[in-house]
Amino acid sequence: MREEHIFGDDKENEKVSKQSERISFPEHTDHLFHEVTAIFPPMKVQAYADLVAERQTSGLEEPLWRYQGKMIDGRHRYLACKQLGREPTYHEWDGLGSLVLFVVKLNIATRHLSVTQRALLAVDVEEWLNKEARERQRKGETHDSRS
């Protein structure tokens, strides 16, 4: 099968490829992030570079969110702060309601997701909600709708 290029020029193809690359998180940060953060894809490299430049100018405008010692929101802002030598500030989630719905509410409006990414997110959210429901049943709890 022949490789198709979007543009005839190899430099343009390389540029398009780099624009679609996503950042990867350093392995030494794995313990910092709650697994629920993985429902949103990592930022594209250029979007992350823009975020770092923004933080350089305006600082951290929104505190990061944690729950039980792990970050549930703000992993890109955390990395940007560390890269700039700044210490982020935090809010602690109170644990009331659904963790996954809380995280989705914090991120859905600000993340630039394609239709496909939104569909995949919906599948992941459904799996997380089912997991939360099973955990509540195991504990004999009912759903708290205050999330």
Side-chain angles (χ1 to χ4, degrees):
M1 179 189 256
R2 191 174 73 115
E3 184 178 316
E4 295 290 328
H5 291 287
I6 296 172
F7 300 102
D9 183 352
D10 284 339
K11 287 184 181 181
E12 284 298 317
N13 285 313
E14 186 177 320
K15 181 179 174 184
V16 169
S17 175
K18 286 185 185 224
Q19 288 174 345
S20 64
E21 290 178 11
R22 297 193 177 275
I23 68 163
S24 57
F25 292 90
E27 286 183 29
H28 70 275
T29 62
D30 287 348
H31 70 286
L32 299 173
F33 306 117
H34 191 284
E35 61 185 334
V36 75
T37 62
I39 65 173
F40 284 93
M43 290 178 119
K44 291 183 179 179
V45 172
Q46 185 57 55
Y48 178 74
D50 293 345
L51 175 70
V52 171
E54 229 174 81
R55 298 292 72 86
Q56 176 75 38
T57 304
S58 60
L60 182 64
E61 295 169 350
E62 283 290 320
L64 312 179
W65 283 90
R66 287 192 291 205
Y67 179 58
Q68 297 178 340
K70 292 196 173 199
M71 269 179 270
I72 59 174
D73 174 62
R75 60 189 174 155
H76 298 99
R77 289 178 288 142
Y78 171 83
L79 290 178
C81 284
K82 291 301 182 181
Q83 185 175 333
L84 295 169
R86 297 181 179 168
E87 193 58 36
T89 56
Y90 300 93
H91 287 304
E92 182 74 18
W93 182 57
D94 59 14
L96 297 176
S98 166
L99 173 61
V100 71
L101 291 180
F102 180 74
V103 171
V104 169
K105 285 178 187 179
L106 289 172
N107 284 278
I108 196 70
T110 59
R111 297 300 299 270
H112 304 288
L113 303 175
S114 68
V115 172
T116 301
Q117 288 172 320
R118 285 180 181 266
L120 292 171
L121 174 65
V123 171
D124 287 346
V125 168
E126 182 178 24
E127 289 174 10
W128 268 93
L129 291 173
N130 288 334
K131 180 180 173 182
E132 288 180 342
R134 286 189 303 275
E135 185 63 22
R136 283 193 312 276
Q137 287 176 337
R138 190 183 67 74
K139 292 180 177 179
E141 298 173 359
T142 59
H143 179 66
D144 181 350
S145 61
R146 291 183 281 171
S147 61

